[in-house]
């Protein structure tokens, strides 16, 4: 796609593949759009805390390959957090609920499979009075005793549940329960965002919704060697894995979320069918057409206005088609606006004359695309795929038959008898 300005300044924008894989452009758009949607339409102007849970390596395989175990572990974790926050609010009743959005990360810092949970929990609980009106009770920050309680309860309940399901043997579960240093379970709740800090909340949401890898950390040494820079020091210092292109593709392919597996989930009053959801979200009680930035100003910390089911927030009747149109309109963001939220510069404004950029062509012809890439000095053909290489024994057998020449093999330090005994 070609875009041009009033003074003749133009540039090219590549198409989006809209895939679920590892495209940097599509993953970035999904990350920014998810964060913008949650910050503008879901999270009210209330303090939010990030709770992060990691489980032992022995259990990560089951979380990654079994959706029921993944759901079970996440439900246990959030239910324990809800119990702690409910107890920290004595004025709230036993039926009060938290509001949370859980992000499921299936990757580690070095492109390794590592499933863990990043949960953004509103710092408090919501309770409904006799008339059904929602009231928010803010809780105090959890101390170390409360964190230890959450850690111990999640560890005990998850091991017990996996034992009942036959995933772990009772002896193995007992050994894991007695492991030192938390038994491989890790809990962190040190990040807190104030209710008025909407930019900080959006940055935290982008961090939670980030893709599996960062393109700026990938460095090419030569045609056969790539380095993925490490951001955390390993046991012996900073460790950056060196990969071949095929090894990189293999690691990225293993991190693609399976079909019908959600990347983030809603819990408590933010769940889709929660009775109080219409009263506590960021757009509750706001007339249609109000900008999102002004909409969140109307949410009070103590009580949120009620919304009558089946009516718009303005109080007028609306048909199902109109309600769906409003919902879809609120859930979509233009890519140019998302870029403006990231960089603070609107991309459809010419940097030279400050005029409006306009789309002049959608280029789909292969010949025209090759001419443009040649003019820009970019490659016009994909890299040549090398023919698969056979194992050394097969190559020597092929050479004896007069086929392809065997590749030279390094002389080993010790000679072994490699003859196959059947």
């Amino acid at each position: 796609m070609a875009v041009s300005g009033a003074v003749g300044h133009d540039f090219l924008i590549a198409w989006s593949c809209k895939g679920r894989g590892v495209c940097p452009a599509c993953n970035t758009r999904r990350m920014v759009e998810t964060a913008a949607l949650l910050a503008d339409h879901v999270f009210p102007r209330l303090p939010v805390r990030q709770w992060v849970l990691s489980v032992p390596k022995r259990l990560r395989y089951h979380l990654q390959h079994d959706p029921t175990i993944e759901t079970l572990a996440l439900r246990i974790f959030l239910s324990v957090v809800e119990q702690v926050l409910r107890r920290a609010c004595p004025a709230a009743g036993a039926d009060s609920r938290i509001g949370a959005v859980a992000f499921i990360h299936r990757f580690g810092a070095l492109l390794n499979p590592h499933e863990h949970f990043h949960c953004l929990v509103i710092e408090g609980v919501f309770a409904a009075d006799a008339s059904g009106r929602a009231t928010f009770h803010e809780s105090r920050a959890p101390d170390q005793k409360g964190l230890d309680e959450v850690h111990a309860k999640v560890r005990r309940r998850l091991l017990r549940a996996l034992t009942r399901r036959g995933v772990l043997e009772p002896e193995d579960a007992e050994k894991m329960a007695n492991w030192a240093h938390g038994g491989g379970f890790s809990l962190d709740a040190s990040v807190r965002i104030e209710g008025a800090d909407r930019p900080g909340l959006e940055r935290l949401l982008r961090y939670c919704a980030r893709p599996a890898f960062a393109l700026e950390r990938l460095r090419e040494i030569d045609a056969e060697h790539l380095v993925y820079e490490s951001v955390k020091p390993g046991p012996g210092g900073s460790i950056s894995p060196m990969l071949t292109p095929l090894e990189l593709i293999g690691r990225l392919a293993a991190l693609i979320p399976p079909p019908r597996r959600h990347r983030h989930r809603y819990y408590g009053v933010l769940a889709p069918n929660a009775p109080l959801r219409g009263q506590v979200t960021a757009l509750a009680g706001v007339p249609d057409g109000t900008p999102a930035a002004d909409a969140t100003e109307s949410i009070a910390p103590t009580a949120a206005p009620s919304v009558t089911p089946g009516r718009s927030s303005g109080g007028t009747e609306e048909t199902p088609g109109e309600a769906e149109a409003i919902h879809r309109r609120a859930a979509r963001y233009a890519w140019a606006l998302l870029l403006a939220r990231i960089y603070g510069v609107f991309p459809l404004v010419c940097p030279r004359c400050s005029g409006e950029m306009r789309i002049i062509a959608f280029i789909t012809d292969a010949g025209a695309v090759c001419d443009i890439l040649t003019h820009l000095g970019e490659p016009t053909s994909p890299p040549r795929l090398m023919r698969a290489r056979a194992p050394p024994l097969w190559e020597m057998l092929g050479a004896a038959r007069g086929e392809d020449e065997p590749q030279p093999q390094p002389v080993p330090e010790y000679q072994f008898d490699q003859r196959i005994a059947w």
Side-chain angles (χ1 to χ4, degrees):
M1 181 173 63
V3 184
S4 177
V7 295
H9 175 66
D10 54 11
F11 60 92
L12 301 174
I13 300 177
W15 292 101
S16 174
C17 64
K18 297 182 177 63
R20 193 177 170 86
V22 293
C23 174
C26 297
N27 284 336
T28 301
R29 174 179 180 125
R30 184 181 294 110
M31 172 189 70
V32 180
E33 188 170 22
T34 300
L37 174 65
L38 294 176
D40 291 344
H41 303 287
V42 178
F43 278 99
R45 286 185 174 270
L46 297 172
V48 176
R49 183 175 297 276
Q50 178 187 215
W51 294 75
V52 184
L53 174 68
S54 298
V55 300
K57 294 182 179 179
R58 182 168 182 176
L59 304 182
R60 294 175 192 171
Y61 173 84
H62 301 288
L63 267 67
Q64 185 176 3
H65 294 86
D66 193 338
T68 58
I69 296 180
E70 176 185 83
T71 304
L72 174 66
L74 182 58
R75 186 184 299 118
I76 290 175
F77 176 43
L78 290 176
S79 64
V80 174
V81 173
E82 186 174 48
Q83 293 174 5
V84 172
L85 293 182
R86 186 184 296 156
R87 192 167 57 251
C89 302
D95 57 347
S96 57
R97 302 298 308 275
I98 63 172
V101 177
F103 293 86
I104 303 173
H105 286 198
R106 298 178 172 87
F107 54 88
L110 297 178
L111 303 180
N112 57 306
H114 173 28
E115 180 148 339
H116 57 288
F117 304 124
H118 288 250
C119 302
L120 299 189
V121 183
I122 299 176
E123 192 86 330
V125 294
F126 294 87
D129 56 15
S131 62
R133 189 181 183 87
T135 304
F136 176 71
H137 302 273
E138 184 175 354
S139 64
R140 59 182 181 272
D143 53 6
Q144 188 60 41
K145 181 180 179 181
L147 296 178
D148 295 340
E149 179 184 355
V150 173
H151 184 279
K153 282 189 176 182
V154 170
R155 179 182 178 184
R156 183 177 63 254
R157 290 181 56 182
L158 183 57
L159 292 177
R160 187 190 308 160
L162 295 180
T163 303
R164 288 197 304 264
R165 290 174 173 264
V167 177
L168 291 176
E169 296 294 335
E171 298 80 7
D172 296 338
E174 185 178 357
K175 290 180 181 179
M176 295 180 66
N178 297 325
W179 282 352
H181 307 292
F185 288 85
S186 176
L187 178 67
D188 179 77
S190 58
V191 178
R192 185 180 189 270
I193 303 296
E194 298 296 334
D197 188 8
R198 305 306 286 184
L201 175 63
E202 189 166 353
R203 287 193 300 268
L204 180 59
L205 287 167
R206 290 177 194 166
Y207 171 77
C208 294
R210 70 188 187 275
F213 80 107
L215 193 61
E216 60 269 14
R217 292 172 54 190
L218 188 63
R219 181 166 53 90
E220 181 182 6
I221 297 181
D222 51 41
E224 294 296 331
H225 296 90
L226 303 170
V227 172
Y228 192 71
E229 299 290 349
S230 173
V231 295
K232 298 180 180 179
S238 180
I239 299 177
S240 299
M242 181 177 294
L243 308 169
T244 64
L246 289 180
E247 291 174 345
L248 175 64
I249 294 176
R251 289 203 181 191
L252 295 180
L255 302 178
I256 297 177
R260 295 173 293 278
R261 296 278 291 273
H262 297 292
R263 301 191 179 199
H264 63 277
R265 302 181 183 181
Y266 301 88
Y267 185 85
V269 296
L270 299 182
N273 296 324
L276 299 180
R277 178 183 171 90
Q279 303 183 38
V280 302
T281 54
L283 294 182
V286 179
D288 298 337
T290 304
D294 300 333
T296 53
E297 295 286 352
S298 63
I299 304 297
T302 56
S306 60
V307 178
T308 304
R311 297 176 178 269
S312 66
S313 55
T316 58
E317 295 282 351
E318 63 182 25
T319 62
E322 293 175 348
E324 184 178 0
I326 293 175
H327 172 72
R328 291 183 178 274
R329 196 162 58 241
R332 290 296 300 173
Y333 288 83
W335 182 222
L337 297 179
L338 294 178
L339 290 176
R341 297 178 76 127
I342 301 175
Y343 303 108
V345 178
F346 193 62
L348 296 183
V349 174
C350 180
R352 297 184 180 180
C353 65
S354 299
E356 182 180 357
M357 304 290 287
R358 61 186 180 88
I359 299 175
I360 59 176
F362 291 91
I363 305 172
T364 58
D365 181 67
V369 172
C370 290
D371 293 340
I372 293 175
L373 293 177
T374 303
H375 176 74
L376 297 177
E378 299 291 340
T380 58
S381 59
R384 185 172 63 91
L385 296 179
M386 303 298 294
R387 189 165 59 90
R389 193 171 72 86
L393 290 179
W394 291 9
E395 289 181 347
M396 290 186 291
L397 180 60
R401 295 178 179 177
E403 298 176 0
D404 297 338
E405 291 293 333
Q407 298 186 5
Q409 300 295 324
V411 179
E413 184 178 359
Y414 301 98
Q415 297 291 337
F416 295 94
D417 186 3
Q418 300 183 359
R419 291 175 295 179
I420 299 176
W422 298 95

